[in-house]
């Protein structure tokens, strides 16, 4: 929505009228057609083919949470993109990993970022992590019409709860239903395999380094059994996106750090190709 001031030199009344601290409510009142869920799609038969993002994983550790995703986007049986980014900061202490229709998911994340920033500017305080999770649930629910046509978005939301002083993870379904996950979570086409790996390797006393190694291992296992999930690609230097959120805020691991973690996991698999006989961590 643009504030065109060329005619009168003043902001439109919509920008000057006190209202909700929700940016989505503001758009709904003044330009609802800009909301993704309010758009009218042309009539189609069958499911719309569009690039889809796949596996996202998250794991908590004492002091924070790790959120990571592979880099592959698929369209049917075709690899649509090998280096897509699926994990984004929502604000200073939270992040979103996207699975589902890639274009809509990225647009939803950008709107979610704006929603949190708008609230903070209007209210002069940050939303609680619980409040952020609820706002994202509302946004997913507004996309239900497109989800029924095959354009679903199913994110994973993680962050550091400043009130409870710990990392937390929230998963969603296409209707906006929200569930808090404990210890670890996964979403996307490879989530079953990733969850199995995390279930075996998770411990309550993981260090940050061990937690980042665990998510790379989980993504490797997902890629091993799910063709839509991309594993570490050493030849093209494409590695998972790995983010860490603690009381100090959001941090994305550098390409060098992601490379070293991925190579360590690959080396261990070369030594034990049928899988580790003992815990990797």
């Amino acid at each position: 929505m643009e504030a065109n001031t060329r005619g009168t030199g003043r902001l439109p009344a919509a920008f000057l009228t006190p209202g909700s601290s929700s940016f989505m409510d503001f758009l709904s009142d003044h330009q609802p057609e800009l909301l993704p869920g309010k758009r009218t799609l042309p009539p189609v038969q069958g499911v719309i083919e569009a690039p889809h993002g796949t596996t996202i994983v998250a794991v908590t550790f004492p002091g924070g949470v790790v959120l990571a995703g592979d880099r592959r986007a698929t369209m049917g049986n075709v690899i649509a993109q090998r280096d897509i980014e699926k994990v984004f900061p929502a604000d200073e202490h939270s992040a979103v990993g996207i699975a589902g229709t890639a274009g809509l998911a990225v647009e939803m994340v950008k709107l979610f970022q704006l929603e949190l920033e708008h609230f903070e500017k209007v209210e002069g305080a940050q939303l609680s992590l619980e409040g952020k999770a609820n706002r994202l649930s509302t946004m997913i629910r507004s996309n239900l019409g497109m989800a029924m046509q095959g354009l679903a978005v199913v994110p994973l939301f993680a962050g550091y709860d400043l009130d409870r002083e710990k990392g937390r993870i929230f998963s969603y379904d296409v209707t906006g239903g929200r569930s808090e996950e404990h210890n670890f979570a996964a979403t996307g086409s490879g989530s079953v395999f990733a969850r199995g790996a995390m279930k075996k390797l998770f411990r309550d006393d993981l260090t940050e380094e061990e937690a980042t190694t665990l998510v790379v291992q989980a993504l490797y296992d997902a890629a091993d059994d799910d063709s839509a999930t991309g594993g570490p690609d050493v030849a093209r230097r494409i590695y998972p996106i790995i983010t860490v959120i603690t009381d100090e805020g959001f941090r994305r691991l550098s390409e060098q750090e992601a490379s070293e973690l991925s190579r360590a996991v690959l080396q261990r698999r070369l030594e034990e190709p049928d899988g580790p006989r003992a815990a990797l961590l």
Side-chain angles (χ1 to χ4, degrees):
M1 184 175 182
E2 296 182 359
N4 186 355
T5 61
R6 293 182 181 178
T8 63
R10 300 179 61 185
L11 287 171
F15 290 87
L16 302 175
T17 303
S20 169
S21 58
S22 169
F23 185 74
M24 284 189 63
D25 290 347
F26 176 74
L27 278 186
S28 296
D29 290 340
H30 301 288
Q31 282 194 257
E33 69 278 4
L34 294 181
L35 290 170
K38 299 292 186 179
R39 294 172 185 161
T40 302
L41 293 179
V44 293
Q45 293 183 348
V47 177
I48 300 173
E49 285 289 346
H52 278 66
T54 50
T55 311
I56 303 295
V57 296
V59 61
T60 60
F61 64 93
V65 60
V66 177
L67 181 66
D70 78 308
R71 305 293 297 276
R72 179 174 292 178
T74 59
M75 190 163 58
N77 65 332
V78 176
I79 297 176
Q81 188 174 344
R82 297 182 186 274
D83 61 350
I84 188 173
E85 297 199 7
K86 305 177 187 177
V87 181
F88 304 89
D91 64 0
E92 186 179 356
H93 288 95
S94 62
V96 183
I98 58 171
T101 307
L104 282 178
V106 171
E107 186 175 22
M108 184 177 292
V109 169
K110 291 181 178 179
L111 185 58
F112 184 52
Q113 292 169 334
L114 190 56
E115 174 84 354
L116 299 185
E117 185 178 352
H118 181 81
F119 179 92
E120 186 174 349
K121 288 183 176 179
V122 171
E123 298 293 338
Q126 283 190 355
L127 265 174
S128 66
L129 192 68
E130 196 89 24
K132 297 172 191 176
N134 289 336
R135 291 289 176 101
L136 184 55
S137 180
T138 301
M139 295 177 67
I140 297 169
R141 189 175 299 115
S142 70
N143 190 58
L144 183 58
M146 289 191 175
M148 298 298 289
Q149 298 188 54
L151 301 177
V153 176
V154 188
L156 203 59
F157 177 65
Y160 185 82
D161 193 321
L162 295 171
D163 297 323
R164 299 190 185 185
E165 299 182 342
K166 67 176 184 177
R168 299 173 68 188
I169 305 168
F170 298 90
S171 63
Y172 300 85
D173 59 36
V174 293
T175 66
R178 191 206 77 177
S179 301
E180 181 169 1
E181 305 286 348
H182 300 285
N183 302 330
F184 55 84
T187 190
S189 62
S191 60
V192 174
F193 311 108
R195 185 182 291 273
M198 291 189 289
K199 186 176 182 179
K200 290 182 178 180
L201 299 173
F202 179 81
R203 299 196 318 265
D204 290 327
D205 60 347
L206 291 173
T207 65
E208 179 181 319
E209 182 179 359
E210 289 172 338
T212 54
T213 302
L214 189 154
V215 296
V216 174
Q217 178 66 64
L219 290 172
Y220 182 98
D221 283 0
D224 199 33
D225 288 298
D226 174 44
S227 62
T229 303
D233 192 335
V234 177
R236 296 184 177 89
R237 298 181 182 178
I238 300 174
Y239 305 103
I241 294 176
I242 308 166
T243 63
V244 179
I245 312 164
T246 66
D247 60 345
E248 296 180 354
F250 172 94
R251 178 174 71 90
R252 173 173 167 171
L253 269 63
S254 67
E255 185 174 340
Q256 179 64 30
E257 291 174 302
S259 169
E260 291 174 358
L261 285 170
S262 299
R263 289 174 184 273
V265 169
L266 290 172
Q267 181 60 37
R268 191 176 292 271
R269 279 308 179 95
L270 287 174
E271 297 170 357
E272 300 181 50
D274 294 328
R277 289 184 290 272
L280 292 179
L281 305 178

